[in-house]
Amino acid sequence: MKGFRDWVFSQILSNSLISSTPLSGSSSYYSEGHQEGEHNEQGSANSTASLVLSDTSNSSHGNQSDQHNATVQQVSDTENSEPQQYANGRRKDTLAKVEDLQVKFLRLLQRLGQSQHNVLVAKVLYRMHLATLIRAGESDLKRVNLSSSRARTIASQQETTGIPELDFSCRILVLGKTGVGKSATINSIFDQAKTITDAFRPATNSIQEVTGTINGLNITFIDTPGFLPSSASNVRRNKRIMLSVKRFIRKSPPDIVLYFERLDLISAGYIDVPLLKLMTEVFGAAIWFNTILVMTHSSSAIPEGPDGYTINYGSYISQCTYLMQQHVHQAVSDSRLENPVLLVENHPQCPKNIVGEKILPNGQVWRSQLLLFCICTKVLGDVNNLVKFENSLELGPASSARIPSLPHLLSSLLRHRRVPNLSGIDDEIEEILRSEDIEEDEYDQLPSIRILRKSEFEKLSKQQKKDYLDEIDYREALYLKKQLKEDYHRRKEKLLLKEQKIMNHDHSDDQQAPPEPVLLPDMAVPPSFDSDCPIHRYRCLVVDDQLIVRPVHDPQGWDHDVSFDGINLETATEVKENVYASVAGQMNKGKQDFNLQSECAAAYLDPHGPTYSIGVDVQTAGKDLVCTIHSNTILRNIKHNIADCGVSLTSFAKKYYVGAKVEDTVLVGNRLKFVMSAGLMEGPGQGAYGGSFEATLRGEDYPVRNDNLTLIMTVLSFNKEMVLSGNLQSEFRLSRSLRATVSANLNSRKMGQINIKMSSSEHLQIALVAFFSIFKALSRRRATKNSVKEVMD
């Protein structure tokens, strides 16, 4: 059975009869649960119809056999429906109801004089057969294969005897501008004056139902007041009419929607796109799934072409059909939907055939064609409701925003965040300085040294040069350590002074002169042909208010250009005692895009207790915003141990993701550090879990120099799949002017990489490696082009 269903699905998706014009769709846009403004916010709609009949404007052309193509959208198999109602003392299952509907459809075809070999009829019967095949069980396959021939026999017998009576009804909603012929078309279909018409002024002033019977088919038209052409004064009136229509059809939704336009007035500038957009806004984009475009006055004179000769009727109809469908695409912001187009002529002098039916210039009987389309649409909608197929088709502009990856959000949550403070010193460095507080400073115990000039240094031997440079490096490291310790002592004394003032109730402030502004280092500007260097444009000063605002330089900018790519802002301030706040952000604005990244955080630092922090991160992702609110608590209750726990809430595209983490850091001396962390991130219907263990061995001169060796083991579980990975990173100095960075990683999927990076200020021969890489890349590209050329030949 599973193989058979796979075959059926393949037939649906790869059917040779393909078209993109849906005729039947869902009526979900009439449901009472939808609010009027819902579709306006979403810009899209959902259709629950799965079997969709498609047809290109067949009424516009005489060669139906060449232009009728079919498509069936993918249908998803659902659970078996519950027992249905009882009739005539026995329970009817879903297949029996579909068979009864098929019999009714064949009886209606006989009454309308339509052949069962009609291409449009064959499409409907084919889809009904596919629906029953997917729904049927193994025991019902033989019954389904025999149902088509049996339905034809039963329909012929029932239509001959007239028993039972044919019970089939159809509700049709009529929309369009005033004066396009909506009421006149209703009268032509019933062949009698059911509604009042007027050629000079609007005749329909209120919503009314027009009911009648045609060959045993009960048809109810919902005639509506006509819309006015879009303008600033008419928008409110048109919207008021649409809202009243929406309220009227809410209790009893229609099966089909007919939208009217005049064929003789269609041009590139006449079709009212703002009116179509207003319909989409009020009724929702799903209204177009059930809509048939009707062009009245189809026997009017055809305009002349550019050469002065009358355009061919078929070519003119094709041009107008394409124009109308393009304007619908523009209103819905989706080009996948193509509504069928029917031609109508209501003039009393319209030519008729021998039976008395009005015909178009192409010889087509439009009345029977319109009724056939309505019946096919109604039947397919009933089949969808019976077999309870569910499918979601979203109309509207394609969303370019990507759904955030839960593993990425989890890794961002597990990332260590610095607590905002004015010193800028990390918690771990402060813990090391606190442990070394009682140690005596080594730098002050060193003897003095004379700095050699360049000429004196050149006179030294090779070994003496090495010893001299090692001594300078050693003294430099001790001096930087001394500066860190002095800064730590200075902040500690300031904190003690504040506490003493609070205890003594002394609120006097010492008046100190503000520090002088400090010039930031110059930016790296690319080479230019200008005679003067424009580096002065990017210079910035740092003043006492802790606010740094500087431009973001675009290294790929044009020559003679300012090359400002954005603005960067950083600030940190002490809001009140032990409460700090920081803001860092960057804004980039171009002609086509706008990017924003910002991190705002506030923290309360208890000198003898935990640290509490909260922050908000905002960044742009296409036209959407990714907003993350996170909170952390840092505990230092045990010496050489820092515990951290936090939670986060991320909002993106009206979806929310909640995460939590715990982290513990253990410091063994000043050089060895162990970090263990675990966290989870959950979103709509999915979750990601992970953890990591990190061991870091630092160099002897830490925190002055960042020589380190780090081993990281990570485990991640997402979508019932677990991935283990290992990462090795190392950064060290090979010599005074040469540094190296090595990183390697490998995961359980047997994927990994190795990166080696070296930087030097003296050994320029290392740059030759870049020439080798560039040459290899160019050779590979040339070989690829040659192979492609050979294949093309």
Side-chain angles (χ1 to χ4, degrees):
M1 183 62 188
K2 181 178 179 182
F4 171 74
R5 290 192 175 183
D6 293 339
W7 175 84
V8 172
F9 274 95
S10 64
Q11 292 296 315
I12 293 174
L13 296 177
S14 61
N15 186 12
S16 60
L17 299 175
I18 299 176
S19 176
S20 58
T21 312
L23 176 63
S24 170
S26 169
S27 59
S28 60
Y29 56 96
Y30 301 114
S31 60
E32 198 165 352
H34 290 280
Q35 297 181 357
E36 295 175 3
E38 178 179 356
H39 295 283
N40 188 21
E41 297 176 359
Q42 295 292 340
S44 62
N46 290 333
S47 172
T48 57
S50 299
L51 295 179
V52 178
L53 176 63
S54 303
D55 189 23
T56 55
S57 52
N58 60 326
S59 62
S60 305
H61 306 276
N63 52 350
Q64 298 180 3
S65 60
D66 294 335
Q67 302 208 8
H68 283 290
N69 293 323
T71 184
V72 179
Q73 296 181 357
Q74 183 178 356
V75 287
S76 58
D77 195 12
T78 58
E79 298 296 332
N80 292 330
S81 58
E82 298 180 354
Q84 305 293 330
Q85 59 183 359
Y86 289 88
N88 299 328
R90 68 180 182 89
R91 181 166 57 193
K92 286 188 175 182
D93 59 357
T94 302
L95 297 181
K97 290 187 176 183
V98 174
E99 292 175 1
D100 293 345
L101 186 59
Q102 189 174 6
V103 171
K104 289 182 181 180
F105 177 63
L106 294 173
R107 292 183 63 182
L108 287 170
L109 294 178
Q110 296 183 24
R111 295 193 179 189
L112 293 178
Q114 297 288 342
S115 172
Q116 298 181 10
H117 301 288
N118 184 290
V119 179
L120 187 61
V121 175
K123 295 176 185 178
V124 178
L125 295 175
Y126 176 69
R127 282 152 183 76
M128 296 176 70
H129 183 66
L130 280 181
T132 53
L133 284 176
I134 296 175
R135 176 60 60 193
E138 295 183 359
S139 59
D140 296 326
L141 291 180
K142 185 176 181 180
R143 170 187 170 188
V144 171
N145 293 328
L146 297 177
S147 61
S148 299
S149 58
R150 183 173 57 187
R152 290 184 174 88
T153 304
I154 296 175
S156 179
Q157 294 176 355
Q158 291 183 358
E159 194 63 21
T160 303
T161 59
I163 300 175
E165 294 184 359
L166 183 60
D167 182 17
F168 191 87
S169 61
C170 184
R171 292 178 59 85
I172 303 174
L173 175 63
V174 176
L175 298 174
K177 293 182 183 177
T178 181
V180 295
K182 301 187 297 297
S183 301
T185 302
I186 296 175
N187 294 336
S188 298
I189 292 176
F190 288 114
D191 200 14
Q192 55 179 309
K194 288 277 188 177
T195 60
I196 301 175
T197 59
D198 196 314
F200 302 100
R201 57 184 178 183
T204 305
N205 298 320
S206 61
I207 304 174
Q208 56 184 351
E209 291 188 353
V210 182
T211 305
T213 303
I214 302 176
N215 297 331
L217 172 62
N218 297 323
I219 298 181
T220 299
F221 283 95
I222 304 175
D223 197 7
T224 61
F227 306 132
L228 296 179
S230 292
S231 65
S233 58
N234 295 334
V235 171
R236 182 175 298 179
R237 178 186 181 275
N238 291 338
K239 190 171 184 178
R240 184 171 61 251
I241 294 175
M242 295 178 188
L243 291 176
S244 62
V245 172
K246 186 176 181 179
R247 288 190 298 268
F248 184 87
I249 62 179
R250 185 167 293 169
K251 294 183 179 179
S252 183
D255 302 305
I256 305 105
V257 179
L258 300 180
Y259 180 77
F260 285 76
E261 278 284 1
R262 288 186 57 164
L263 178 65
D264 56 338
L265 297 180
I266 291 180
S267 63
Y270 173 74
I271 297 181
D272 206 337
V273 178
L275 181 62
L276 301 179
K277 290 185 177 180
L278 185 61
M279 287 179 55
T280 306
E281 175 186 345
V282 175
F283 294 103
I287 190 177
W288 298 106
F289 282 111
N290 292 57
T291 300
I292 300 174
L293 304 178
V294 180
M295 295 192 292
T296 59
H297 296 260
S298 298
S299 296
S300 302
I302 305 300
E304 295 180 352
D307 54 357
Y309 293 96
T310 303
I311 302 176
N312 178 268
Y313 184 80
S315 301
Y316 179 68
I317 296 301
S318 300
Q319 179 182 357
C320 294
T321 299
Y322 174 79
L323 195 61
M324 285 194 66
Q325 291 175 344
Q326 289 299 312
H327 283 82
V328 173
H329 295 167
Q330 187 176 352
V332 186
S333 300
D334 198 320
S335 60
R336 296 173 297 172
L337 182 66
E338 292 187 9
N339 301 87
V341 178
L342 295 177
L343 303 179
V344 170
E345 180 56 65
N346 298 313
H347 197 277
Q349 301 300 325
C350 178
K352 299 180 180 180
N353 57 12
I354 57 177
V355 186
E357 297 176 322
K358 295 180 180 180
I359 59 175
L360 300 174
N362 58 1
Q364 191 177 57
V365 180
W366 67 265
R367 180 174 176 269
S368 60
Q369 191 70 19
L370 189 147
L371 292 175
L372 178 61
F373 262 76
C374 293
I375 292 173
C376 293
T377 306
K378 168 67 174 176
V379 168
L380 285 182
D382 292 343
V383 171
N384 291 336
N385 294 331
L386 286 176
V387 298
K388 300 184 183 301
F389 284 137
E390 295 181 1
N391 182 39
S392 179
L393 179 61
E394 189 173 289
L395 283 180
S399 177
S400 60
R402 296 173 294 179
I403 299 177
S405 170
L406 284 187
H408 174 74
L409 294 178
L410 180 59
S411 62
S412 177
L413 174 65
L414 295 177
R415 176 173 56 91
H416 180 71
R417 298 178 181 270
R418 291 182 56 183
V419 178
N421 57 67
L422 297 181
S423 65
I425 299 179
D426 192 74
D427 297 332
E428 299 175 7
I429 299 178
E430 190 169 349
E431 186 71 24
I432 294 175
L433 295 176
R434 187 182 296 112
S435 64
E436 294 181 349
D437 192 18
I438 59 175
E439 295 181 6
E440 190 175 0
D441 197 348
E442 299 180 13
Y443 181 79
D444 295 334
Q445 299 177 0
L446 293 176
S448 60
I449 184 174
R450 188 172 70 89
I451 304 300
L452 300 179
R453 297 178 181 179
K454 185 177 181 180
S455 58
E456 296 175 343
F457 179 77
E458 295 294 339
K459 296 179 181 180
L460 299 178
S461 63
K462 186 175 182 181
Q463 183 63 32
Q464 290 176 339
K465 290 181 180 179
K466 181 179 181 303
D467 295 338
Y468 176 77
L469 293 177
D470 291 342
E471 180 67 21
I472 293 296
D473 287 344
Y474 176 70
R475 289 174 176 264
E476 181 183 4
L478 292 180
Y479 178 74
L480 292 176
K481 282 186 179 182
K482 177 184 177 182
Q483 284 188 327
L484 285 176
K485 290 181 181 180
E486 290 178 352
D487 183 66
Y488 172 72
H489 287 299
R490 189 163 46 248
R491 290 189 297 107
K492 189 174 181 180
E493 292 175 359
K494 184 179 179 180
L495 180 62
L496 293 175
L497 182 61
K498 282 186 177 181
E499 292 180 353
Q500 187 175 4
K501 285 184 177 182
I502 294 175
M503 294 178 62
N504 298 333
H505 303 283
D506 185 7
H507 301 286
S508 60
D509 295 333
D510 297 334
Q511 298 294 332
Q512 297 181 359
E516 295 182 359
V518 178
L519 180 64
L520 291 178
D522 290 339
M523 290 185 178
V525 180
S528 173
F529 290 100
D530 292 339
S531 58
D532 57 336
C533 182
I535 192 63
H536 62 278
R537 300 175 179 175
Y538 309 99
R539 287 174 180 163
C540 299
L541 295 176
V542 178
V543 292
D544 185 39
D545 56 3
Q546 300 294 330
L547 178 63
I548 302 176
V549 180
R550 53 187 174 181
V552 178
H553 180 67
D554 182 14
Q556 305 297 330
W558 293 91
D559 197 16
H560 305 284
D561 191 11
V562 177
S563 299
F564 281 172
D565 190 47
I567 297 176
N568 181 277
L569 183 144
E570 295 181 11
T571 180
T573 182
E574 184 176 6
V575 180
K576 56 186 303 186
E577 185 180 0
N578 297 331
V579 178
Y580 300 90
S582 66
V583 177
Q586 180 172 318
M587 181 189 69
N588 301 83
K589 178 68 173 69
K591 294 183 178 180
Q592 302 294 335
D593 54 356
F594 173 79
N595 297 321
L596 175 67
Q597 293 181 354
S598 66
E599 295 182 0
C600 307
Y604 171 74
L605 280 68
D606 189 349
H608 308 290
T611 299
Y612 306 97
S613 64
I614 186 172
V616 178
D617 300 342
V618 178
Q619 68 177 11
T620 56
K623 294 184 179 181
D624 294 326
L625 282 178
V626 181
C627 181
T628 302
I629 303 175
H630 55 86
S631 177
N632 292 74
T633 300
I634 300 176
L635 304 176
R636 300 185 183 88
N637 298 329
I638 305 176
K639 190 176 182 181
H640 303 297
N641 181 270
I642 301 175
D644 185 3
C645 60
V647 294
S648 71
L649 175 64
T650 302
S651 171
F652 177 71
K654 296 186 178 181
K655 294 182 179 180
Y656 298 93
Y657 305 85
V658 181
K661 74 163 185 177
V662 290
E663 179 182 309
D664 189 70
T665 303
V666 179
L667 302 176
V668 181
N670 298 338
R671 300 182 58 187
L672 190 59
K673 180 182 73 168
F674 297 98
V675 180
M676 293 159 286
S677 63
L680 61 90
M681 180 69 65
E682 293 186 351
Q686 54 183 349
Y689 311 89
S692 65
F693 173 78
E694 175 182 346
T696 302
L697 178 62
R698 298 169 172 137
E700 296 180 354
D701 298 332
Y702 182 84
V704 175
R705 294 189 176 95
N706 195 26
D707 296 348
N708 62 81
L709 176 63
T710 303
L711 175 64
I712 304 175
M713 302 299 297
T714 305
V715 57
L716 175 65
S717 176
F718 179 63
N719 285 341
K720 299 181 180 180
E721 184 177 0
M722 182 174 294
V723 178
L724 301 176
S725 62
N727 191 358
L728 179 65
Q729 299 178 358
S730 179
E731 183 178 356
F732 52 91
R733 291 202 317 170
L734 296 176
S735 65
R736 179 180 175 84
S737 60
L738 183 62
R739 292 190 63 86
T741 302
V742 180
S743 64
N745 59 74
L746 181 66
N747 57 29
S748 57
R749 294 181 177 179
K750 298 181 180 180
M751 300 173 60
Q753 63 178 0
I754 299 177
N755 294 326
I756 300 176
K757 179 181 178 181
M758 299 181 67
S759 60
S760 174
S761 59
E762 295 181 356
H763 302 279
L764 298 180
Q765 58 270 25
I766 299 178
L768 297 177
V769 178
F771 290 99
F772 174 75
S773 302
I774 295 173
F775 177 76
K776 186 176 181 180
L778 293 176
S779 302
R780 185 182 304 172
R781 181 178 298 180
R782 184 176 180 181
T784 304
K785 289 183 179 180
N786 293 335
S787 61
V788 172
K789 185 176 180 180
E790 292 177 359
V791 172
M792 295 297 294
D793 294 340

